[in-house]
Amino acid sequence: MRKRFTAVTGALALAVSVGFASTSALASGEIGEHVQNLKSNLGTYEQDVGRFTDRLDTMAAAYAENGPDAVETDQLIELWEEVKLHAAVEVTYVPVYASIWQGIYGFKEAVDNDSGIERVRAEKAALEAALWQGLGAVKMASKHQASGGSNKGQEADSAGGDPVDRIITNLEKVTVEHAEGETEEATELVHDTYMEIFEGIEGALIEQDAELVESLEKDFNVTLPQQLEKGAPVSEVTAQVDAMKEKLSRAQELLQKAEESQGDVF
């Protein structure tokens, strides 16, 4: 999965230029030419969401009537890797792509662990919301693509932009890698993000909050890698990433204030 993200340059933006993406491989095969003309394939993407929601309805009903043994939750992963919406969202907006994977595993774990119908319905609703959000992101990207827009959208690509935003984006990719079983790629991305991005802001951040830096260093080098190595549940890894994102948002605020203060001096 790591190779897939790096192969699609600028794939993190909402308004992407995806004309070159057809050569990038996905776990489910080639991304396909459909991502070169998102607008013409919106009907297919909508049908994909419909297929997913229908399958979720069937699974939830089966669980309510006969319990977890009546539901083959692995079918959700197979379906997600099969539909074209998968590739369209992946090259369009990484955060919601991660949310869909997290939603799939949230529903799967709720059923497999026999967490009760209320929990299953709540996870089902969360996954459906993520799917519709993904479709919305693709629709917005299709408008930019049709008008020849640039690949700069809500996020900067991996080569530029605010370093904290880039770290957060990479952590969201980590949750996807983990959900897809790509432990080595996920761990490597955590390591690279720490070495190549976080260390670049570490010095300035220490001056603002040394304890925050120490906490994040432990997250990057101990807590998150250990969770990945032991194959922790997706929900556990997601919770850890969310905690790191909160700390990083605090770090971003501190760095921005420090920069503003320096500007006032000069």
Side-chain angles (χ1 to χ4, degrees), residues 167-183:
I167 293 171
I168 290 174
T169 295
N170 281 0
L171 289 175
E172 288 166 343
K173 295 180 190 178
V174 168
T175 66
V176 176
E177 299 278 14
H178 178 63
E180 293 187 323
E182 301 289 352
T183 301

Side-chain angles (χ1 to χ4, degrees), residues 18-262:
V18 291
F20 50 80
S22 60
T23 59
S24 299
L26 291 176
S28 54
E30 299 296 316
I31 283 181
E33 294 183 0
H34 65 95
V35 297
Q36 299 179 29
N37 192 345
L38 296 171
K39 186 175 181 180
S40 295
N41 289 278
L42 291 178
T44 297
Y45 304 145
E46 290 180 1
Q47 290 174 3
D48 289 342
V49 174
R51 290 175 62 190
F52 238 93
T53 56
D54 288 347
R55 185 70 59 86
L56 286 169
D57 288 341
T58 300
M59 287 184 169
Y63 174 80
E65 184 173 352
N66 298 307
D69 292 340
V71 185
E72 295 183 16
T73 54
D74 285 343
Q75 289 181 357
L76 285 181
I77 298 173
E78 296 170 2
L79 179 59
W80 176 233
E81 293 185 337
E82 172 188 334
V83 296
K84 289 185 176 180
L85 180 66
H86 181 140
V89 176
E90 181 179 8
V91 302
T92 298
Y93 198 28
V94 166
V96 74
Y97 181 69
S99 294
I100 292 171
W101 269 113
Q102 292 159 14
I104 289 171
Y105 274 88
F107 181 86
K108 175 177 170 58
E109 290 171 4
V111 172
D112 293 348
N113 296 332
D114 199 8
S115 301
I117 189 59
E118 294 303 318
R119 171 68 183 279
V120 168
R121 286 171 177 164
E123 295 293 345
K124 173 177 175 290
L127 174 53
E128 289 174 342
L131 288 164
W132 287 112
Q133 185 181 5
L135 179 61
V138 173
K139 287 182 176 180
M140 186 176 294
S142 73
K143 294 179 181 179
H144 287 276
Q145 187 186 64
S147 62
S150 70
N151 65 342
K152 301 289 184 178
Q154 287 190 0
E155 297 182 76
D157 64 34
S158 59
D162 182 275
V164 175
D165 288 340
R166 291 164 57 203
I167 293 171
I168 290 174
T169 295
N170 281 0
L171 289 175
E172 288 166 343
K173 295 180 190 178
V174 168
T175 66
V176 176
E177 299 278 14
H178 178 63
E180 293 187 323
E182 301 289 352
T183 301
E184 183 178 347
E185 288 80 355
T187 304
E188 181 182 354
L189 183 54
V190 172
H191 175 74
D192 289 351
T193 299
Y194 175 79
M195 296 293 294
E196 298 172 8
I197 309 178
F198 183 76
E199 284 201 337
I201 63 174
E202 189 174 21
L205 187 57
I206 286 176
E207 298 178 4
Q208 306 302 316
D209 191 333
E211 290 185 1
L212 180 60
V213 172
E214 183 179 351
S215 179
L216 282 166
E217 285 182 330
K218 182 180 178 182
D219 290 337
F220 274 110
N221 295 301
V222 181
T223 308
L224 185 54
Q226 284 184 348
Q227 287 181 334
L228 297 173
E229 183 177 353
K230 73 178 184 180
V234 172
S235 57
E236 185 177 324
V237 173
T238 299
Q240 173 62 31
V241 166
D242 286 344
M244 293 175 69
K245 286 162 64 176
E246 289 185 11
K247 296 176 188 178
L248 287 163
S249 294
R250 171 61 178 162
Q252 190 173 44
E253 292 175 1
L254 291 172
L255 292 172
Q256 289 174 346
K257 289 180 180 179
E259 185 176 348
E260 291 170 0
S261 297
Q262 186 176 14

